[in-house]
Amino acid sequence: MKKWKNNKGNIKMYDYLVVGAGLYGSVFAHEAKKAGKTVLVIDKRPNIAGNVYTEEVEGIHVHKYGAHIFHTNNKKVWEYITQFAEFNRFTNSPVANYHGELYSLPFNMYTFNKMWGVVTPEEAAAKIEEQKQAAGITEPKNLEEQAISLVGTDIYEKLIKGYTEKQWGRPCDQLPAFIIKRLPVRLTFDNNYFNALYQGIPIGGYTKMVENMLDGIEVRLGIDYFENRDQLDHLANKVIYTGPIDAYFNFSLGTLEYRSVRFKDELLDKPNFQGNAAVNYTDCETPWTRIIEHKWFEFGKDAEGNDLPKTVISREYSSEWKPGDEPYYPVNDEKNSKLYEEYRRLAEKEQNVIFGGRLGEYKYYDMDAVIASALDLCEKELI
Ligand code: UDP
């Protein structure tokens, strides 16, 4: 390990301290090491990989902090990530369950046919237009209006309203429109949830993939940055901080809101519970938002494919984040975006600290965008 003096005369053991062993931190750490820098990665959890962490249960890779399906249109990111794992050809096609009625997602001709009995794309488009006109929406101002103008009132009521209000804990007319624009609307029979050229799940699980990224890098787990801040800051010339930005500043300007998720995992003594990786419960009465059946993320684990007699399912319950919970989704509404902007200005003034990732930038990032953003930083930082 190299030791040298920084300009204050203190001995620094590392070029970089990376706080958080999730995707952002792991990409940075990997590239920094490759560039000949010394890096220490810490994480307060007992495991690496942040929220993409997977754990093997009865031969099934369980996504412990929520289902993660890698998808991207960014060739550079795809080529980057596939250095660390081979990916299977999983395609996300969730099913919506509304009081026992099943619908295809994303919204496509199968959905429209089941909802209205329409057969052709023209009929479906006309039905959506008729419902949009009836609602009198010209310029959608919030998620509710955006949803109705994209797919009409029936689909909004049965497949969007309940799910979204459970997921975000707020009425749809108080949520930003962009959230629903994540979902494609198609006048074709295509059940692929993502408009992405590249998609899949790393064979062997995400944890193995991140382990490969962190190969040869010093990682200390179970270390809370805030409990050891003074010592840790003295160890490195620069900090790459991927935790919540408001926590970094000790919530001095107020707390940013997050949504948290509680997972209730069950190992079932049956080979097939729901026949699909994800089933969304889109009514407002069912307390969970979705059930994930992890074995269907992988191939060769189906009843015919091999003899796996068991299955693991996770029910997801969405809740408002409170201290002690895991923050998952930033709530990018007006109030929080304004507060984040104030924190960002503070962060800019923080010398030798770089804020990144979903929590560090308070941004509803997908995995590919996190990787792209970490690679951008590497280009600027690791010269
Ligand atoms: N959504 C919905 N019904 C569904 C699935 C999603 O209304 O069955 C809405 C909901 O508002 C959600 C948003 O679409 O927050 C984005 O969904 P996505 O699946 O991208 O969310 P994530 O996988 O990131 O939780």
Side-chain angles (χ1 to χ4, degrees), residues 67 69 71 92 94-97 105 107 143 147 155-156 158-165 167-168 172 175-176 178-184 193-194 261 279-282 289-290 316 329 358 364-366:
I69 300 139
H71 58 99
N92 191 24
V95 169
N97 181 328
L105 291 174
F107 310 119
L143 193 149
I155 290 181
Y156 169 68
K158 285 189 165 182
L159 305 185
I160 297 175
K161 192 174 190 297
Y163 186 92
T164 301
E165 297 193 347
Q167 160 97 357
W168 294 98
C172 287
L175 283 165
F178 83 87
I179 294 178
I180 200 70
K181 287 203 223 148
R182 288 169 58 86
L183 267 65
Y193 198 64
F194 301 119
V261 189
V279 176
N280 294 358
Y281 286 76
T282 58
T289 49
R290 58 187 169 196
E316 295 188 10
Y329 297 90
R358 199 183 250 221
Y364 191 178
Y365 267 140
D366 283 331

Short mmCIF file of all heavy atoms in Angstrom, two decimals, residues 67 69 71 92 94-97 105 107 143 147 155-156 158-165 167-168 172 175-176 178-184 193-194 261 279-282 289-290 316 329 358 364-366, ligand 1:
data_model
loop_
_atom_site.label_atom_id
_atom_site.label_comp_id
_atom_site.label_asym_id
_atom_site.label_seq_id
_atom_site.Cartn_x
_atom_site.Cartn_y
_atom_site.Cartn_z
N ALA A 67 -36.27 -6.45 -7.13
CA ALA A 67 -35.93 -7.05 -8.43
C ALA A 67 -35.16 -6.05 -9.27
O ALA A 67 -35.53 -4.88 -9.36
CB ALA A 67 -37.21 -7.43 -9.13
N ILE A 69 -33.65 -5.73 -13.15
CA ILE A 69 -33.52 -6.27 -14.50
C ILE A 69 -32.66 -5.30 -15.29
O ILE A 69 -33.04 -4.14 -15.46
CB ILE A 69 -34.90 -6.45 -15.16
CG1 ILE A 69 -35.73 -7.42 -14.31
CG2 ILE A 69 -34.76 -6.95 -16.60
CD1 ILE A 69 -37.15 -7.03 -14.16
N HIS A 71 -31.25 -3.35 -18.19
CA HIS A 71 -31.68 -3.02 -19.56
C HIS A 71 -31.07 -1.70 -19.96
O HIS A 71 -30.95 -0.79 -19.13
CB HIS A 71 -33.21 -2.96 -19.63
CG HIS A 71 -33.81 -1.97 -18.70
ND1 HIS A 71 -34.22 -0.73 -19.08
CD2 HIS A 71 -34.04 -2.03 -17.37
CE1 HIS A 71 -34.69 -0.07 -18.05
NE2 HIS A 71 -34.59 -0.83 -16.99
N ASN A 92 -38.20 -8.76 -19.50
CA ASN A 92 -39.21 -8.47 -18.48
C ASN A 92 -40.60 -8.32 -19.11
O ASN A 92 -40.80 -7.47 -19.97
CB ASN A 92 -38.82 -7.19 -17.75
CG ASN A 92 -39.66 -6.97 -16.50
OD1 ASN A 92 -40.19 -7.94 -15.94
ND2 ASN A 92 -39.79 -5.72 -16.08
N PRO A 94 -43.94 -8.21 -17.11
CA PRO A 94 -44.77 -8.38 -15.91
C PRO A 94 -46.24 -8.55 -16.25
O PRO A 94 -46.68 -8.18 -17.35
CB PRO A 94 -44.56 -7.07 -15.15
CG PRO A 94 -43.71 -6.19 -15.98
CD PRO A 94 -43.44 -6.84 -17.28
N VAL A 95 -46.95 -9.12 -15.31
CA VAL A 95 -48.40 -9.30 -15.47
C VAL A 95 -49.06 -8.43 -14.41
O VAL A 95 -48.55 -8.33 -13.28
CB VAL A 95 -48.77 -10.79 -15.24
CG1 VAL A 95 -50.27 -10.99 -15.13
CG2 VAL A 95 -48.18 -11.66 -16.35
N ALA A 96 -50.16 -7.76 -14.77
CA ALA A 96 -50.90 -6.98 -13.77
C ALA A 96 -52.09 -7.82 -13.32
O ALA A 96 -52.79 -8.43 -14.14
CB ALA A 96 -51.38 -5.67 -14.38
N ASN A 97 -52.28 -7.86 -12.00
CA ASN A 97 -53.42 -8.57 -11.43
C ASN A 97 -54.33 -7.53 -10.79
O ASN A 97 -53.97 -6.91 -9.79
CB ASN A 97 -52.90 -9.57 -10.39
CG ASN A 97 -54.02 -10.38 -9.75
OD1 ASN A 97 -55.14 -9.88 -9.58
ND2 ASN A 97 -53.72 -11.61 -9.37
N LEU A 105 -48.45 -6.42 -19.37
CA LEU A 105 -47.72 -5.15 -19.26
C LEU A 105 -46.48 -5.25 -20.14
O LEU A 105 -45.97 -6.34 -20.32
CB LEU A 105 -47.31 -4.88 -17.81
CG LEU A 105 -48.42 -4.57 -16.82
CD1 LEU A 105 -47.85 -4.48 -15.40
CD2 LEU A 105 -49.11 -3.25 -17.18
N PHE A 107 -48.37 -1.57 -21.39
CA PHE A 107 -49.67 -1.44 -22.05
C PHE A 107 -49.48 -1.68 -23.54
O PHE A 107 -48.75 -0.96 -24.21
CB PHE A 107 -50.23 -0.05 -21.77
CG PHE A 107 -50.18 0.29 -20.30
CD1 PHE A 107 -49.44 1.36 -19.83
CD2 PHE A 107 -50.86 -0.51 -19.38
CE1 PHE A 107 -49.37 1.64 -18.47
CE2 PHE A 107 -50.80 -0.24 -18.01
CZ PHE A 107 -50.05 0.84 -17.56
N LEU A 143 -49.13 13.15 -12.91
CA LEU A 143 -49.12 11.75 -13.33
C LEU A 143 -50.50 11.28 -13.77
O LEU A 143 -50.64 10.58 -14.78
CB LEU A 143 -48.59 10.88 -12.19
CG LEU A 143 -48.21 9.45 -12.55
CD1 LEU A 143 -47.07 8.95 -11.67
CD2 LEU A 143 -49.38 8.48 -12.48
N ALA A 147 -51.14 9.90 -17.42
CA ALA A 147 -51.56 8.51 -17.61
C ALA A 147 -52.82 8.45 -18.47
O ALA A 147 -52.90 7.67 -19.43
CB ALA A 147 -51.79 7.86 -16.25
N ILE A 155 -57.77 2.14 -18.16
CA ILE A 155 -56.47 1.57 -17.80
C ILE A 155 -55.89 2.34 -16.61
O ILE A 155 -55.32 1.75 -15.69
CB ILE A 155 -55.51 1.55 -19.01
CG1 ILE A 155 -56.03 0.50 -20.00
CG2 ILE A 155 -54.07 1.24 -18.59
CD1 ILE A 155 -55.23 0.31 -21.24
N TYR A 156 -56.09 3.64 -16.63
CA TYR A 156 -55.63 4.44 -15.49
C TYR A 156 -56.26 3.91 -14.20
O TYR A 156 -55.57 3.64 -13.21
CB TYR A 156 -55.96 5.92 -15.69
CG TYR A 156 -55.74 6.72 -14.43
CD1 TYR A 156 -54.46 6.92 -13.92
CD2 TYR A 156 -56.84 7.26 -13.73
CE1 TYR A 156 -54.26 7.62 -12.75
CE2 TYR A 156 -56.64 7.96 -12.55
CZ TYR A 156 -55.35 8.13 -12.06
OH TYR A 156 -55.16 8.82 -10.88
N LYS A 158 -57.75 0.97 -13.51
CA LYS A 158 -57.51 -0.42 -13.12
C LYS A 158 -56.03 -0.79 -12.98
O LYS A 158 -55.69 -1.65 -12.16
CB LYS A 158 -58.13 -1.37 -14.16
CG LYS A 158 -59.65 -1.47 -14.09
CD LYS A 158 -60.14 -2.59 -14.99
CE LYS A 158 -61.57 -2.95 -14.67
NZ LYS A 158 -62.04 -4.07 -15.50
N LEU A 159 -55.18 -0.19 -13.78
CA LEU A 159 -53.79 -0.67 -13.79
C LEU A 159 -52.77 0.35 -13.29
O LEU A 159 -51.61 0.00 -13.06
CB LEU A 159 -53.39 -1.13 -15.20
CG LEU A 159 -54.30 -2.19 -15.84
CD1 LEU A 159 -53.73 -2.64 -17.18
CD2 LEU A 159 -54.48 -3.41 -14.93
N ILE A 160 -53.17 1.59 -13.13
CA ILE A 160 -52.19 2.61 -12.73
C ILE A 160 -52.48 3.22 -11.37
O ILE A 160 -51.60 3.27 -10.49
CB ILE A 160 -52.10 3.73 -13.81
CG1 ILE A 160 -51.60 3.12 -15.13
CG2 ILE A 160 -51.19 4.88 -13.35
CD1 ILE A 160 -51.57 4.07 -16.30
N LYS A 161 -53.72 3.67 -11.18
CA LYS A 161 -54.04 4.47 -9.98
C LYS A 161 -53.65 3.76 -8.67
O LYS A 161 -52.87 4.28 -7.87
CB LYS A 161 -55.52 4.82 -9.99
CG LYS A 161 -55.90 5.87 -8.97
CD LYS A 161 -57.37 6.27 -9.17
CE LYS A 161 -57.76 7.47 -8.36
NZ LYS A 161 -57.68 7.29 -6.92
N GLY A 162 -54.18 2.56 -8.48
CA GLY A 162 -53.96 1.84 -7.22
C GLY A 162 -52.48 1.53 -7.01
O GLY A 162 -51.92 1.76 -5.93
N TYR A 163 -51.84 1.02 -8.05
CA TYR A 163 -50.43 0.64 -7.95
C TYR A 163 -49.57 1.86 -7.61
O TYR A 163 -48.75 1.83 -6.70
CB TYR A 163 -49.97 0.03 -9.27
CG TYR A 163 -48.57 -0.53 -9.23
CD1 TYR A 163 -48.33 -1.87 -8.92
CD2 TYR A 163 -47.47 0.28 -9.51
CE1 TYR A 163 -47.04 -2.37 -8.89
CE2 TYR A 163 -46.18 -0.21 -9.48
CZ TYR A 163 -45.97 -1.55 -9.17
OH TYR A 163 -44.69 -2.04 -9.14
N THR A 164 -49.82 2.94 -8.34
CA THR A 164 -49.00 4.15 -8.17
C THR A 164 -49.21 4.76 -6.78
O THR A 164 -48.26 5.18 -6.12
CB THR A 164 -49.33 5.18 -9.26
OG1 THR A 164 -49.08 4.56 -10.52
CG2 THR A 164 -48.51 6.43 -9.14
N GLU A 165 -50.48 4.79 -6.33
CA GLU A 165 -50.72 5.41 -5.03
C GLU A 165 -50.13 4.55 -3.90
O GLU A 165 -49.66 5.08 -2.89
CB GLU A 165 -52.21 5.74 -4.87
CG GLU A 165 -52.59 6.77 -5.93
CD GLU A 165 -53.93 7.48 -5.77
OE1 GLU A 165 -54.80 7.06 -4.97
OE2 GLU A 165 -54.13 8.47 -6.49
N GLN A 167 -47.44 2.61 -4.36
CA GLN A 167 -46.00 2.72 -4.54
C GLN A 167 -45.45 4.05 -3.99
O GLN A 167 -44.40 4.08 -3.37
CB GLN A 167 -45.70 2.61 -6.04
CG GLN A 167 -44.36 3.14 -6.49
CD GLN A 167 -43.32 2.05 -6.61
OE1 GLN A 167 -43.59 0.89 -6.29
NE2 GLN A 167 -42.14 2.40 -7.05
N TRP A 168 -46.15 5.12 -4.25
CA TRP A 168 -45.63 6.44 -3.90
C TRP A 168 -46.29 7.06 -2.66
O TRP A 168 -45.82 8.08 -2.15
CB TRP A 168 -45.74 7.41 -5.10
CG TRP A 168 -44.86 6.96 -6.22
CD1 TRP A 168 -45.24 6.24 -7.32
CD2 TRP A 168 -43.43 7.13 -6.33
NE1 TRP A 168 -44.16 5.96 -8.11
CE2 TRP A 168 -43.03 6.51 -7.53
CE3 TRP A 168 -42.46 7.76 -5.55
CZ2 TRP A 168 -41.70 6.48 -7.95
CZ3 TRP A 168 -41.13 7.73 -5.98
CH2 TRP A 168 -40.77 7.10 -7.16
N CYS A 172 -52.24 10.43 -7.33
CA CYS A 172 -51.61 10.55 -8.65
C CYS A 172 -51.58 11.97 -9.17
O CYS A 172 -50.74 12.32 -9.99
CB CYS A 172 -52.33 9.66 -9.65
SG CYS A 172 -51.97 7.92 -9.37
N LEU A 175 -48.30 13.76 -8.22
CA LEU A 175 -47.02 13.15 -8.59
C LEU A 175 -46.57 13.67 -9.95
O LEU A 175 -47.41 13.98 -10.80
CB LEU A 175 -47.18 11.62 -8.64
CG LEU A 175 -47.22 10.93 -7.29
CD1 LEU A 175 -47.74 9.50 -7.42
CD2 LEU A 175 -45.83 10.92 -6.64
N PRO A 176 -45.24 13.71 -10.17
CA PRO A 176 -44.77 14.23 -11.45
C PRO A 176 -45.09 13.27 -12.61
O PRO A 176 -45.05 12.05 -12.44
CB PRO A 176 -43.26 14.35 -11.26
CG PRO A 176 -42.92 13.45 -10.13
CD PRO A 176 -44.14 13.36 -9.26
N PHE A 178 -43.44 12.49 -15.19
CA PHE A 178 -42.36 11.71 -15.80
C PHE A 178 -42.31 10.26 -15.31
O PHE A 178 -41.85 9.38 -16.01
CB PHE A 178 -40.99 12.40 -15.60
CG PHE A 178 -40.34 12.12 -14.27
CD1 PHE A 178 -39.53 11.00 -14.10
CD2 PHE A 178 -40.55 12.96 -13.17
CE1 PHE A 178 -38.93 10.73 -12.88
CE2 PHE A 178 -39.95 12.69 -11.95
CZ PHE A 178 -39.14 11.57 -11.80
N ILE A 179 -42.84 10.02 -14.09
CA ILE A 179 -42.75 8.67 -13.53
C ILE A 179 -43.46 7.67 -14.45
O ILE A 179 -42.98 6.57 -14.69
CB ILE A 179 -43.39 8.61 -12.11
CG1 ILE A 179 -42.56 9.45 -11.14
CG2 ILE A 179 -43.49 7.18 -11.62
CD1 ILE A 179 -43.14 9.50 -9.73
N ILE A 180 -44.60 8.08 -14.98
CA ILE A 180 -45.38 7.14 -15.79
C ILE A 180 -44.81 7.05 -17.21
O ILE A 180 -45.02 6.07 -17.91
CB ILE A 180 -46.89 7.51 -15.78
CG1 ILE A 180 -47.75 6.31 -16.18
CG2 ILE A 180 -47.22 8.72 -16.62
CD1 ILE A 180 -47.78 5.24 -15.16
N LYS A 181 -44.05 8.04 -17.59
CA LYS A 181 -43.44 7.99 -18.94
C LYS A 181 -42.35 6.94 -19.02
O LYS A 181 -41.84 6.64 -20.09
CB LYS A 181 -42.91 9.37 -19.32
CG LYS A 181 -44.02 10.35 -19.66
CD LYS A 181 -43.48 11.46 -20.54
CE LYS A 181 -44.00 12.79 -20.10
NZ LYS A 181 -43.12 13.91 -20.30
N ARG A 182 -41.97 6.37 -17.87
CA ARG A 182 -41.01 5.26 -17.89
C ARG A 182 -41.61 4.05 -18.60
O ARG A 182 -40.90 3.21 -19.11
CB ARG A 182 -40.66 4.84 -16.45
CG ARG A 182 -39.80 5.81 -15.70
CD ARG A 182 -39.75 5.44 -14.22
NE ARG A 182 -39.24 4.10 -13.95
CZ ARG A 182 -37.96 3.78 -13.83
NH1 ARG A 182 -37.05 4.73 -13.94
NH2 ARG A 182 -37.58 2.55 -13.57
N LEU A 183 -42.94 3.95 -18.56
CA LEU A 183 -43.61 2.77 -19.12
C LEU A 183 -43.96 2.97 -20.59
O LEU A 183 -44.59 3.95 -20.94
CB LEU A 183 -44.93 2.53 -18.38
CG LEU A 183 -44.92 1.58 -17.20
CD1 LEU A 183 -44.07 2.11 -16.08
CD2 LEU A 183 -46.33 1.35 -16.72
N PRO A 184 -43.58 2.01 -21.44
CA PRO A 184 -43.97 2.17 -22.84
C PRO A 184 -45.46 1.90 -23.06
O PRO A 184 -46.09 1.17 -22.29
CB PRO A 184 -43.16 1.09 -23.58
CG PRO A 184 -42.32 0.41 -22.57
CD PRO A 184 -42.78 0.80 -21.21
N TYR A 193 -41.26 -5.22 -21.46
CA TYR A 193 -41.52 -4.03 -20.65
C TYR A 193 -40.61 -2.87 -21.00
O TYR A 193 -40.95 -1.71 -20.83
CB TYR A 193 -41.28 -4.41 -19.18
CG TYR A 193 -41.88 -3.49 -18.15
CD1 TYR A 193 -43.25 -3.31 -18.05
CD2 TYR A 193 -41.07 -2.83 -17.24
CE1 TYR A 193 -43.80 -2.50 -17.07
CE2 TYR A 193 -41.61 -2.01 -16.26
CZ TYR A 193 -42.97 -1.84 -16.18
OH TYR A 193 -43.51 -1.04 -15.21
N PHE A 194 -39.42 -3.19 -21.45
CA PHE A 194 -38.44 -2.12 -21.70
C PHE A 194 -38.20 -1.89 -23.18
O PHE A 194 -38.11 -2.84 -23.95
CB PHE A 194 -37.10 -2.47 -21.04
CG PHE A 194 -37.18 -2.66 -19.56
CD1 PHE A 194 -36.86 -3.88 -18.99
CD2 PHE A 194 -37.60 -1.63 -18.73
CE1 PHE A 194 -36.94 -4.07 -17.61
CE2 PHE A 194 -37.69 -1.81 -17.36
CZ PHE A 194 -37.36 -3.03 -16.81
N VAL A 261 -39.06 0.30 0.74
CA VAL A 261 -39.79 -0.93 0.42
C VAL A 261 -39.42 -1.98 1.46
O VAL A 261 -38.26 -2.10 1.85
CB VAL A 261 -39.40 -1.48 -0.98
CG1 VAL A 261 -40.32 -2.62 -1.39
CG2 VAL A 261 -39.42 -0.39 -2.05
N VAL A 279 -45.51 -10.14 -10.79
CA VAL A 279 -46.95 -9.89 -10.92
C VAL A 279 -47.26 -8.65 -10.08
O VAL A 279 -47.01 -8.61 -8.86
CB VAL A 279 -47.81 -11.10 -10.48
CG1 VAL A 279 -49.29 -10.75 -10.54
CG2 VAL A 279 -47.52 -12.32 -11.36
N ASN A 280 -47.76 -7.61 -10.75
CA ASN A 280 -48.11 -6.36 -10.06
C ASN A 280 -49.56 -6.43 -9.61
O ASN A 280 -50.44 -6.79 -10.40
CB ASN A 280 -47.98 -5.17 -11.02
CG ASN A 280 -46.55 -4.92 -11.45
OD1 ASN A 280 -45.63 -5.60 -11.02
ND2 ASN A 280 -46.36 -3.94 -12.32
N TYR A 281 -49.80 -6.05 -8.36
CA TYR A 281 -51.18 -6.01 -7.83
C TYR A 281 -51.64 -4.56 -7.93
O TYR A 281 -51.21 -3.72 -7.15
CB TYR A 281 -51.22 -6.58 -6.41
CG TYR A 281 -51.08 -8.09 -6.46
CD1 TYR A 281 -49.85 -8.68 -6.70
CD2 TYR A 281 -52.20 -8.90 -6.36
CE1 TYR A 281 -49.72 -10.06 -6.83
CE2 TYR A 281 -52.09 -10.29 -6.47
CZ TYR A 281 -50.85 -10.85 -6.71
OH TYR A 281 -50.74 -12.22 -6.83
N THR A 282 -52.48 -4.28 -8.91
CA THR A 282 -52.74 -2.89 -9.27
C THR A 282 -53.99 -2.30 -8.61
O THR A 282 -54.33 -1.15 -8.86
CB THR A 282 -52.83 -2.74 -10.81
OG1 THR A 282 -53.86 -3.60 -11.28
CG2 THR A 282 -51.51 -3.10 -11.48
N THR A 289 -47.42 -4.19 -3.41
CA THR A 289 -47.46 -3.68 -4.78
C THR A 289 -47.24 -4.80 -5.79
O THR A 289 -47.89 -4.85 -6.82
CB THR A 289 -46.39 -2.59 -5.03
OG1 THR A 289 -45.14 -3.08 -4.54
CG2 THR A 289 -46.74 -1.27 -4.39
N ARG A 290 -46.26 -5.67 -5.49
CA ARG A 290 -46.04 -6.77 -6.43
C ARG A 290 -45.46 -7.97 -5.73
O ARG A 290 -44.97 -7.87 -4.61
CB ARG A 290 -45.14 -6.32 -7.59
CG ARG A 290 -43.79 -5.80 -7.19
CD ARG A 290 -43.05 -5.21 -8.41
NE ARG A 290 -41.87 -4.49 -7.96
CZ ARG A 290 -41.17 -3.63 -8.68
NH1 ARG A 290 -41.52 -3.39 -9.93
NH2 ARG A 290 -40.13 -3.02 -8.19
N GLU A 316 -43.67 -7.19 -2.02
CA GLU A 316 -43.09 -5.86 -1.79
C GLU A 316 -44.16 -4.93 -1.23
O GLU A 316 -45.24 -4.79 -1.80
CB GLU A 316 -42.57 -5.26 -3.11
CG GLU A 316 -41.42 -6.05 -3.68
CD GLU A 316 -40.75 -5.38 -4.88
OE1 GLU A 316 -41.06 -4.20 -5.17
OE2 GLU A 316 -39.94 -6.06 -5.51
N TYR A 329 -36.48 4.93 -3.32
CA TYR A 329 -36.85 5.81 -4.42
C TYR A 329 -36.85 7.26 -3.95
O TYR A 329 -37.57 7.60 -3.02
CB TYR A 329 -38.28 5.51 -4.91
CG TYR A 329 -38.49 4.13 -5.47
CD1 TYR A 329 -38.86 3.07 -4.65
CD2 TYR A 329 -38.33 3.89 -6.84
CE1 TYR A 329 -39.07 1.80 -5.17
CE2 TYR A 329 -38.54 2.63 -7.36
CZ TYR A 329 -38.90 1.59 -6.52
OH TYR A 329 -39.11 0.34 -7.03
N ARG A 358 -27.83 7.02 -7.08
CA ARG A 358 -29.25 7.30 -6.86
C ARG A 358 -29.48 8.14 -5.60
O ARG A 358 -30.27 9.08 -5.59
CB ARG A 358 -30.02 5.98 -6.74
CG ARG A 358 -31.51 6.10 -6.98
CD ARG A 358 -32.25 4.77 -6.79
NE ARG A 358 -32.75 4.24 -8.04
CZ ARG A 358 -33.96 3.66 -8.20
NH1 ARG A 358 -34.77 3.54 -7.18
NH2 ARG A 358 -34.33 3.19 -9.34
N TYR A 364 -33.92 9.27 -9.69
CA TYR A 364 -34.54 7.97 -9.96
C TYR A 364 -33.79 7.30 -11.12
O TYR A 364 -34.27 7.19 -12.22
CB TYR A 364 -36.01 8.20 -10.32
CG TYR A 364 -36.92 6.98 -10.40
CD1 TYR A 364 -38.27 7.14 -10.69
CD2 TYR A 364 -36.45 5.70 -10.17
CE1 TYR A 364 -39.13 6.07 -10.77
CE2 TYR A 364 -37.31 4.61 -10.25
CZ TYR A 364 -38.64 4.80 -10.55
OH TYR A 364 -39.49 3.73 -10.64
N TYR A 365 -32.55 6.91 -10.82
CA TYR A 365 -31.66 6.32 -11.82
C TYR A 365 -31.97 4.84 -12.04
O TYR A 365 -32.17 4.10 -11.07
CB TYR A 365 -30.24 6.34 -11.26
CG TYR A 365 -29.36 7.50 -11.60
CD1 TYR A 365 -28.52 8.04 -10.64
CD2 TYR A 365 -29.29 8.02 -12.89
CE1 TYR A 365 -27.65 9.08 -10.92
CE2 TYR A 365 -28.42 9.06 -13.18
CZ TYR A 365 -27.61 9.58 -12.20
OH TYR A 365 -26.74 10.58 -12.48
N ASP A 366 -31.93 4.38 -13.26
CA ASP A 366 -31.87 2.95 -13.52
C ASP A 366 -30.40 2.52 -13.45
O ASP A 366 -29.50 3.37 -13.50
CB ASP A 366 -32.43 2.63 -14.91
CG ASP A 366 -33.96 2.69 -14.91
OD1 ASP A 366 -34.56 2.42 -13.86
OD2 ASP A 366 -34.54 3.01 -15.97
N1 UDP B 1 -46.88 1.64 -12.82
C1 UDP B 1 -48.24 1.41 -12.76
N2 UDP B 1 -48.71 0.14 -12.85
C2 UDP B 1 -47.90 -0.92 -12.97
C3 UDP B 1 -46.51 -0.71 -13.05
C4 UDP B 1 -46.04 0.60 -12.94
O1 UDP B 1 -49.01 2.35 -12.63
O2 UDP B 1 -48.39 -2.06 -13.03
C5 UDP B 1 -46.40 3.03 -12.69
C6 UDP B 1 -46.10 3.41 -11.25
O3 UDP B 1 -46.42 4.77 -11.09
C7 UDP B 1 -44.60 3.24 -11.17
C8 UDP B 1 -44.17 3.69 -12.56
O4 UDP B 1 -45.20 3.21 -13.40
O5 UDP B 1 -44.04 4.03 -10.16
C9 UDP B 1 -42.82 3.19 -12.99
O6 UDP B 1 -42.83 1.79 -12.93
P1 UDP B 1 -41.50 0.94 -12.98
O7 UDP B 1 -41.88 -0.47 -13.20
O8 UDP B 1 -40.58 1.58 -13.95
O9 UDP B 1 -40.97 1.13 -11.50
P2 UDP B 1 -39.74 0.39 -10.75
O10 UDP B 1 -39.50 -0.92 -11.43
O11 UDP B 1 -38.58 1.35 -10.83
O12 UDP B 1 -40.26 0.23 -9.38
#
